[in-house]
Amino acid sequence: MTRLALDHEAINLSQGFPDFEGPPFIVEAAVDALRAGHNQYARSQGHPTLVRAVAGHIERRSGLSYDPLTEVGVFSGCTEGLMSAMLGLLDPGDEVVFFEPFYDSYPACAAMAGAVPRYCPLRFPDFAVDLEHLESLFNERTRMLVLNTPHNPTGKVFDREELTAIGELCREHDVVVLSDEVYEQLVYDATHVSMAEIPGMRERTLALSSAGKTFSFTGWKIGWCTGPAPLVAAAQAAHQFVTFATATPLQVATAHALDACGAEFYDGLRAEYRARRDFLVDVLRRVGLRVAVPRGTYFVLADFRDLWEGDDVSFVRHLCTEHGVAAIPPSVFYKAEPEEGRRLVRFAFCKRMETLRAAAQRLEGLAK
Ligand code: PMP
């Protein structure tokens, strides 16, 4: 899509990266770290200042306390954390449960670990968890469930009740939860609850997050995990030989960002994203798309069938070549029920308001 967008000078609402800069004081912290000589390999499990900052951040957010030296790990982005956790915790033949649609690295990680994926669909437009279906996927080979809340690409934020029900199944079947929470700060009409906060789940949840979305530096690739020491150690065992250590000066700068940012920063971030979300949702509705209003993340899924008879790939091609707006065909995020995704389109709204306004003007052409 990015290539097609470039060829057609399209406004790129496809891939999820901001077209604006993150906070300048964090960039300054990175420059300071480089100049202060934080330029050699970091501790493989994470720079001491960052693991301490992560533990502090999680404690402030959820009240959960983690030992920085044994219960926190650092990775080159959440993506490497996902890979290391699956390599470290899954044996060939183990089964792993994903919700569908999924962040596309999940099945790839499972494949590289030799694990067998099972999919539980979240269906447009409410993306409710079908607990009966979920339960039917569990058996004696099930080792892990991968959760993503707030959820890409649906914008769903799992609530406490759903997490409790999912957690019960995991406890019953002695299953570990890998909880991808990279959008933890981007929630609008909901509260982010981590699976680790559900009673009885801290001891079987490895939670992952990263600096990319929260601080608008997706290119930094600084990620972390928190969880009980044996789960962190398993992910670390793989990380040791996947990347060994993550960029030292950016770890130091991220530690500074986590220590410095409090409620005021996160509230401001959410307010900006809420305005972008509301603007885009309104435009998409006006031009005739059926929208599932996201409660979290910076993505929105919409059903285009009132406007277009083909599948999602043909629709996004048309949107890009004829209207100059690039989006993602979500069928790539489905394995079990790809037809669910073939009627949908995903837009990213992590863009400046002027980018969104320019996209809106072009999207108006769809209504004609
Ligand atoms: N998890 C999800 C659900 C994501 O959407 C993304 C980014 N698209 C990531 C993980 C990647 O995070 P990072 O850049 O820290 O590797």
Side-chain angles (χ1 to χ4, degrees):
M1 278 319 299
T2 297
R3 194 164 349 114
L4 200 64
L6 285 172
D7 288 350
H8 291 83
E9 293 180 3
I11 297 170
N12 197 346
L13 304 187
S14 58
Q15 218 186 339
F17 60 84
D19 68 348
F20 48 86
E21 281 296 309
F25 84 89
I26 305 178
V27 174
E28 289 309 315
V31 173
D32 289 348
L34 285 162
R35 292 216 167 103
H38 293 290
N39 296 310
Q40 306 307 328
Y41 290 133
R43 173 177 173 265
S44 178
Q45 300 93 324
H47 194 285
T49 63
L50 181 55
V51 291
R52 275 199 299 271
V54 167
H57 163 72
I58 300 285
E59 184 149 22
R60 284 190 299 279
R61 196 199 68 201
S62 63
L64 295 171
S65 76
Y66 289 94
D67 176 352
L69 294 181
T70 59
E71 296 187 309
V72 181
V74 169
F75 305 96
S76 299
C78 176
T79 310
E80 197 238 325
L82 288 159
M83 175 64 80
S84 294
M86 287 198 226
L87 286 175
L89 288 164
L90 296 171
D91 286 325
D94 282 351
E95 292 192 7
V96 51
V97 176
F98 299 128
F99 289 99
E100 169 175 304
F102 44 73
Y103 175 47
D104 49 2
S105 87
Y106 300 166
C109 293
M112 284 190 252
V116 180
R118 308 290 300 262
Y119 299 97
C120 182
L122 302 170
R123 296 192 183 92
F124 187 91
D126 62 356
F127 310 113
V129 178
D130 179 344
L131 277 174
E132 243 171 71
H133 189 115
L134 183 63
E135 186 163 12
S136 76
L137 301 177
F138 282 73
N139 60 59
E140 68 284 354
R141 290 181 302 280
T142 313
R143 171 86 177 110
M144 174 186 284
L145 175 138
V146 179
L147 185 74
N148 171 212
T149 186
H151 182 259
N152 171 13
T154 65
K156 175 185 174 73
V157 178
F158 286 73
D159 65 26
R160 205 171 275 277
E161 207 181 323
E162 287 173 315
L163 294 174
T164 302
I166 297 165
E168 241 163 60
L169 274 176
C170 292
R171 279 205 307 279
E172 217 174 281
H173 295 270
D174 195 17
V175 163
V176 163
V177 175
L178 188 59
S179 181
D180 176 346
E181 302 176 18
V182 292
Y183 299 100
E184 61 183 289
Q185 301 297 342
L186 303 182
V187 285
Y188 314 112
D189 316 309
T191 307
H192 171 67
V193 181
S194 171
M195 181 58 102
E197 293 173 56
I198 302 300
M201 291 306 291
R202 184 201 182 280
E203 44 274 58
R204 58 177 65 248
T205 300
L206 189 67
L208 293 164
S209 192
S210 76
K213 326 288 168 182
T214 300
F215 300 121
S216 309
F217 293 125
T218 58
W220 281 26
K221 302 297 289 183
I222 302 294
W224 53 83
C225 72
T226 45
L231 298 188
V232 173
Q236 168 60 26
H239 169 72
Q240 171 92 18
F241 299 111
V242 174
T243 56
F244 174 64
T246 292
T248 308
L250 299 181
Q251 288 198 56
V252 173
T254 301
H256 181 72
L258 287 172
D259 285 341
C261 290
E264 200 181 324
F265 172 81
Y266 298 120
D267 288 348
L269 183 77
R270 272 190 287 276
E272 282 175 8
Y273 269 108
R274 177 195 290 272
R276 296 181 186 115
R277 178 199 68 166
D278 291 350
F279 178 81
L280 186 62
V281 163
D282 194 45
V283 171
L284 297 178
R285 281 187 168 149
R286 228 173 32 239
V287 301
L289 293 163
R290 278 187 239 167
V291 181
V293 180
R295 290 154 65 85
T297 76
Y298 47 50
F299 300 110
V300 54
L301 276 185
D303 182 335
F304 57 76
R305 279 176 310 175
D306 293 339
L307 297 178
W308 185 257
E309 282 181 358
D311 67 5
D312 59 332
V313 176
S314 70
F315 180 70
V316 296
R317 231 171 233 292
H318 167 77
L319 200 60
C320 189
T321 58
E322 302 304 315
H323 299 280
V325 176
I328 290 282
S331 54
V332 295
F333 306 133
Y334 291 79
K335 271 275 168 32
E337 296 183 358
E339 66 282 4
E340 266 294 300
R342 290 201 183 111
R343 60 184 165 123
L344 303 174
V345 53
R346 190 197 77 177
F347 297 94
F349 56 86
C350 44
K351 309 292 169 182
R352 287 170 290 153
M353 278 308 284
E354 66 190 86
T355 307
L356 295 177
R357 274 194 285 270
Q361 260 183 1
R362 295 183 178 196
L363 287 166
E364 300 287 351
L366 268 175
K368 287 172 195 152

